[in-house]
Amino acid sequence: LQARHRSQVIIEELYKQFEEIQDDRKACGLRLYQRAKRFAFTQDGVETSDHVTLEDRYKALLASDPIHLALEAEEKRVVQEAEKLMKSTPIYKQVFEPISGIGPRIALRIIASIPDISAFETRAQFCAFCGVHALGQDGKKLCKGEIPPNSRGGFPRKKRGVICDWKPTLRQALYLFDDQLNRNSESVW
C-alpha cells in the first residue's frame, strides 16, 4: 500500500470503530431507559414522590451503570484519536479545516466514505455517489447536459422501488454539514 492508501484504510477503520461504539452506547442507553420505565410502572407499594420522574430515574441509571460509563469512555477515546488523526492528515488541513462548519468528525465521515476522488470523471458522477444529484420530472437521473426541471423532480429519496446507489454515510455527513451551516448564521455559506 502507498502512504495515502494506508492513511485511507486507517481513517475508514477508525470511522467504523467510532460508529460501532456509538451504536453500542445508544443501545445500552435504550436498554437502561426501558429498565427505568419498567421499574416506574411495575413497582407496587413503592412510595413515589412527584419530583422523581422517569427522566430522573433514567439519568441515575446512566450515571451509575458501569457498562454505559465504559462505553462513554471508549467513545471519548476514539473521538480524541479520530480528531488527532484528522488534524494530522494533509487533506483535512488543506481542504476541510478552512471551511467553517466542518470539524474533524464530519471530515472523518466524508474522507472515510470517499475511497478515491480521482475515480469520478465528472462532477455529476460525484454528486450521484453522494446522493445529492437532481432528478428529472419522471424521478430518474438526469442525462448528461440535461437541465433540472423547475417543477417536479428534486432529490433522490430512499423508498420502495427506487435504487439507492449512493453512499449513505457520505450523504449523512453532508446533511450534518448543512445542519451546522444552518446553526451558524455568521457563516458565508
Side-chain angles (χ1 to χ4, degrees):
L1 289 175
Q2 296 176 355
R4 70 183 181 96
H5 295 120
R6 185 172 297 130
S7 175
Q8 179 68 26
V9 169
I10 291 169
I11 289 171
E12 286 176 20
E13 289 303 313
L14 191 60
Y15 178 69
K16 287 176 188 174
Q17 186 180 9
F18 171 71
E19 269 192 329
E20 288 171 0
I21 291 169
Q22 198 174 41
D23 290 344
D24 291 345
R25 180 191 50 80
K26 288 177 186 176
C28 182
L30 288 172
R31 283 193 302 273
L32 293 174
Y33 184 74
Q34 293 301 324
R35 187 180 303 161
K37 240 173 42 173
R38 279 194 309 273
F39 181 78
F41 293 111
T42 59
Q43 296 300 313
D44 292 331
V46 176
E47 282 193 35
T48 58
S49 58
D50 293 334
H51 68 279
V52 177
T53 64
L54 178 61
E55 286 300 316
D56 291 336
R57 289 178 192 205
Y58 172 60
K59 288 178 184 175
L61 282 173
L62 284 179
S64 64
D65 186 65
I67 296 172
H68 189 266
L69 294 174
L71 288 169
E72 278 184 333
E74 180 69 8
E75 184 178 8
K76 185 177 180 181
R77 183 196 63 77
V78 170
V79 166
Q80 288 173 343
E81 186 180 336
E83 287 178 357
K84 182 180 173 186
L85 176 68
M86 293 310 300
K87 289 179 180 177
S88 68
T89 305
I91 191 165
Y92 176 75
K93 287 180 180 178
Q94 295 169 4
V95 177
F96 296 110
E97 194 172 43
I99 301 172
S100 67
I102 295 188
R105 287 186 190 185
I106 293 176
L108 177 72
R109 288 174 188 260
I110 293 172
I111 294 171
S113 300
I114 303 171
D116 186 12
I117 194 76
S118 63
F120 305 103
E121 294 177 12
T122 65
R123 190 164 147 191
Q125 286 178 342
F126 181 68
C127 287
F129 181 77
C130 296
V132 295
H133 55 287
L135 297 176
Q137 289 181 341
D138 57 356
K140 297 186 179 176
K141 289 183 184 177
L142 297 173
C143 297
K144 188 174 182 174
E146 190 177 350
I147 299 173
N150 291 336
S151 62
R152 298 195 179 197
F155 292 102
R157 296 188 179 138
K158 193 172 188 175
K159 56 187 177 181
R160 188 178 303 186
V162 175
I163 297 173
C164 302
D165 56 351
W166 58 79
K167 191 82 169 188
T169 54
L170 182 55
R171 186 171 163 148
Q172 182 184 34
L174 294 173
Y175 172 81
L176 292 171
F177 171 56
D178 182 53
D179 186 49
Q180 289 298 315
L181 296 178
N182 287 331
R183 292 173 188 263
N184 185 3
S185 60
E186 297 174 8
S187 172
V188 297
W189 298 91

